[in-house]
Every structure is written in structure tokens, then in C-alpha cells.
Amino acid sequence: MSYTLKRQDKTYVDISLAFEPNPVTKDLTIIKNERAIHNSLKNIILIKPSEVPFNHDFGSTVTDYLFDVIDLGTAGLLKMEIDRAVRFNEPRVNLRSVEVDPRPDQNEFMVTIRYNIVGSETIFTVDEVLRPTR
């Protein structure tokens, strides 16, 4: 007689920030697992500290670097800040790597974040283009 043990992965659920109701149930739309974490990582990167009420440490100073010279030096500072912000603000992930590629001709940085969800071995990738908007 043999037994097979399976570990059930933990499910992470967030509310969609679009606040659009589900067409069938009329409840707020929920997002799960990697999509929820992907949105969380994007918010961590783009929200400045002190913009979230009652949580002044949430966010990063990434947007402060977007108006600097687009070169490897600024890319290195962005990489360190994204790494710090994700490790500090998102306990649901094990951060594997952060890569920042400067693209001076397009006036942008290409950011690639590789992570796995705590308790899972699957590695996910988030690609985000950062460019100055104001």
C-alpha cells in the first residue's frame, strides 16, 4: 500500500482596484494568486511613501529617479530601491531577482522582477516599463 501526499497551495485574494462589480453577483471583483501579487508589486513600485493613509512606510521612492539621467547608475539605484521596497512591503513573495534595463532612446526603464509565491516553487515574472509622466 502506498500513500501520496499532496500539499495544497495557499490562495491569496485581493479586491480589484477597478472597483467594478461582478456582472453576475454584483459583488466587487476579486483577483487571486499571481495576478493579485502582480498588482501589489506594481502598486508598491509606483506609490510613494506617505501616500497611503495610516501606513506611511508603504511604497517606494522609484518615481523620484525617473527624471534623472537614464543610465546604468540610475538603473542601479532603481534596482536597489525596488528590491528594498518589495522585500519590506510584500511578505507573500520570495524575491528572486530584480533587473533594470535603461533605455535612453525611449526615455524609459524596463524593470523585470522574478519571484515565487511563498510555499510554491513556480517562478513568476513581472515586466514593467517605467517612464516619467509629468
Side-chain angles (χ1 to χ4, degrees):
M1 182 183 293
S2 69
Y3 295 98
T4 303
L5 297 177
K6 289 173 84 176
R7 182 176 64 180
Q8 186 174 1
D9 289 340
K10 189 171 184 178
T11 301
Y12 295 105
V13 179
D14 287 345
I15 296 173
S16 173
L17 294 180
F19 292 107
E20 295 174 357
N22 183 313
V24 176
T25 65
K26 304 297 183 200
D27 289 336
L28 288 177
T29 306
I30 60 171
I31 53 178
K32 295 181 180 181
N33 294 335
E34 59 270 2
R35 186 167 170 222
I37 293 174
H38 172 85
N39 285 354
S40 175
L41 293 175
K42 184 176 177 181
N43 289 333
I44 289 169
I45 292 171
L46 296 177
I47 291 176
K48 287 186 171 193
S50 76
E51 282 186 354
V52 177
F54 307 109
N55 193 357
H56 297 290
D57 294 331
F58 183 84
S60 71
T61 58
V62 165
T63 55
D64 294 344
Y65 295 108
L66 297 182
F67 292 96
D68 288 352
V69 178
I70 299 177
D71 61 359
L72 291 174
T74 306
L77 292 172
L78 279 171
K79 177 181 176 178
M80 289 189 308
E81 177 59 17
I82 292 169
D83 186 272
R84 183 209 59 80
V86 170
R87 289 184 194 279
F88 183 75
N89 292 300
E90 187 51 86
R92 301 178 290 183
V93 303
N94 289 323
L95 190 62
R96 297 294 184 166
S97 68
V98 176
E99 297 171 14
V100 180
D101 180 33
R103 297 177 175 174
D105 295 337
Q106 290 89 12
N107 197 30
E108 65 188 21
F109 292 95
M110 181 65 188
V111 177
T112 303
I113 301 171
R114 288 186 184 78
Y115 68 93
N116 67 305
I117 298 173
V118 172
S120 173
E121 296 299 320
T122 307
I123 295 179
F124 298 98
T125 302
V126 175
D127 293 318
E128 192 66 40
V129 175
L130 300 176
R131 59 177 65 102
T133 57
R134 295 182 185 143

